[in-house]
Amino acid sequence: MSLTKSHLRLLTATALIFLASLPWTWSLFYHRGKRILVDVYSGHDQSIPYTAAIIYLASVRRSAEMVRSLTLVAQNLHTGPRQWPIILFHTGDFDHAGPRSELLARLETSLSKVPDTAGSALQSVFISRIYFSKVHWSLPEGIPDNVTLVDPVQAGSWPGYHHMCAFFAANIFSHPALEGYTYYLRLDTDSFIEAPLCYDPFEVMHVRKRIYGYRAVGPDAPDATLGMWEFVDGYARSHPDIEKRLQMNGWKWPDGRDTLQKGARGLLSYYNNFEIVKLEAFRRPDVHRWLNELMRDPKRVYKYRWGDAPIRYATVNMFFNATQDTEFFCGMKYTHQFRLGDECTCVPL
């Protein structure tokens, strides 16, 4: 029996209703110059009570190292049946099909050389998780478009690096590409997970009820944190609950807190080239107010180069339990320019 047009419309409608009921979302994906809809697991299944994304800040100039990083993620970072999306934030490098296609073709070639995999199946499944999200950066009011007039710290990387600091310090929490996600895992283009993990890091965060995961801690340069000690000090003194939280977390001020000097030792930082963030925690109203106040004077980032790393460390210590709410991912063979932090045996969850 041949199908009439009305039958076809009914079957199509039924199929769409069925697909809509599945715990998947559809994302626009560019591959070899073509616009393709791909299914990305959204985590609305009650058996997976969280959602997650892996994010990068991508550029054409760093494509080679990013292909290596992504290939290692495909090999070594497994999240079970959860094929979370991989979001490549960019500032315009991947606006057009050509650069997108070239990057994905290079990744496809790299994945084809991975031993002991399903070959083409790995390529298609992994590549289908990738999509591009443009970020629109502009200098804030009060910062002239002239590096000589601004005279910023790290003038050679101004304003791109400073835009990046502002983005990851505060603006990322309101970016629409991350709306609806529980966690994001940030990696830099030169972040390399060099051996298989024996656990799903998102599951670790969920089961242990963590709000922040990190790989290493260390001081930022004093010349890149000028005035930050004083700012944190003033904010804590005017917010007794934050003052109390800093004390509970063992926050260490430079000698002579009452006479803080510019040029005091740099603030400690989470080296957040690897970080896992529970987004709702950093969207809390009190955290939002703190970050808004910090960003209110754009010179703090765009002249003095206050980095997202010490800002993240201060934020965690000001608003959360820095021990119980954080996870140190030491059981990971990880490099970023050089090996950072202590390593420990990988213990399955």
Side-chain angles (χ1 to χ4, degrees), residues 3 21 33 53 56 59 78 94 128 131 144 146 155 167 182 213-214 228 251-252 273-274 339 348:
L3 292 174
S21 69
Y56 287 82
S59 68
H78 302 294
F94 298 100
S128 72
Y131 69 97
N146 185 312
F167 178 63
T182 310
Y214 65 98
M228 194 182 294
W251 179 265
K252 297 185 183 302
N273 44 75
F274 172 98
R339 198 173 302 281

Side-chain angles (χ1 to χ4, degrees), residues 142-155:
I143 301 296
D145 188 12
N146 185 312
V147 68
T148 303
L149 291 177
V150 177
D151 188 26
V153 174
Q154 290 187 216

Side-chain angles (χ1 to χ4, degrees), residues 42 53-54 62 120 144 173 195 223 229-230 240 264 301:
S42 66
I54 299 170
R62 296 186 175 273
S120 60
F173 304 126
D223 63 347
W229 281 114
E230 295 94 322
V301 171

Side-chain angles (χ1 to χ4, degrees), residues 122-304:
L122 173 66
Q123 296 173 40
S124 61
V125 170
F126 187 79
I127 290 177
S128 72
R129 296 165 57 189
I130 296 173
Y131 69 97
F132 300 87
S133 180
K134 186 174 181 177
V135 290
H136 300 272
W137 288 347
S138 59
L139 290 171
E141 186 177 352
I143 301 296
D145 188 12
N146 185 312
V147 68
T148 303
L149 291 177
V150 177
D151 188 26
V153 174
Q154 290 187 216
S157 58
W158 188 90
Y161 191 87
H162 303 67
H163 280 316
M164 182 276 295
C165 290
F167 178 63
F168 282 115
N171 299 335
I172 192 169
F173 304 126
S174 60
H175 196 282
L178 293 176
E179 184 178 353
Y181 287 104
T182 310
Y183 304 102
Y184 75 70
L185 163 59
R186 173 192 171 183
L187 294 170
D188 279 3
T189 56
D190 55 348
S191 294
F192 305 128
I193 301 174
E194 296 185 328
L197 275 177
C198 66
Y199 50 75
D200 172 354
F202 294 121
E203 187 178 18
V204 169
M205 295 288 289
H206 174 70
V207 170
R208 296 180 178 169
K209 297 180 173 57
R210 310 302 199 200
I211 61 94
Y212 190 74
Y214 65 98
R215 182 67 192 81
V217 175
D220 205 352
D223 63 347
T225 56
L226 292 176
M228 194 182 294
W229 281 114
E230 295 94 322
F231 181 71
V232 174
D233 172 61
Y235 202 87
R237 289 180 188 272
S238 61
H239 295 77
D241 52 337
I242 293 176
E243 179 77 36
K244 182 178 179 180
R245 173 60 68 186
L246 287 173
Q247 292 175 3
M248 292 173 61
N249 284 329
W251 179 265
K252 297 185 183 302
W253 299 96
D255 293 339
R257 177 183 178 184
D258 292 332
T259 56
L260 289 170
Q261 299 293 317
K262 290 184 177 181
R265 61 175 171 81
L267 273 82
L268 287 178
S269 305
Y270 291 118
Y271 290 143
N272 57 344
N273 44 75
F274 172 98
E275 68 174 358
I276 302 181
V277 172
K278 188 171 186 179
L279 283 157
E280 70 174 7
F282 288 84
R283 290 168 175 162
R284 272 176 22 187
D286 54 345
V287 179
H288 183 69
R289 285 191 294 270
W290 146 253
L291 292 174
N292 274 353
E293 180 62 24
L294 186 147
M295 301 298 289
R296 188 174 60 83
D297 183 352
K299 289 186 294 185
R300 290 168 180 149
V301 171
Y302 286 93
K303 179 175 177 63
Y304 300 113

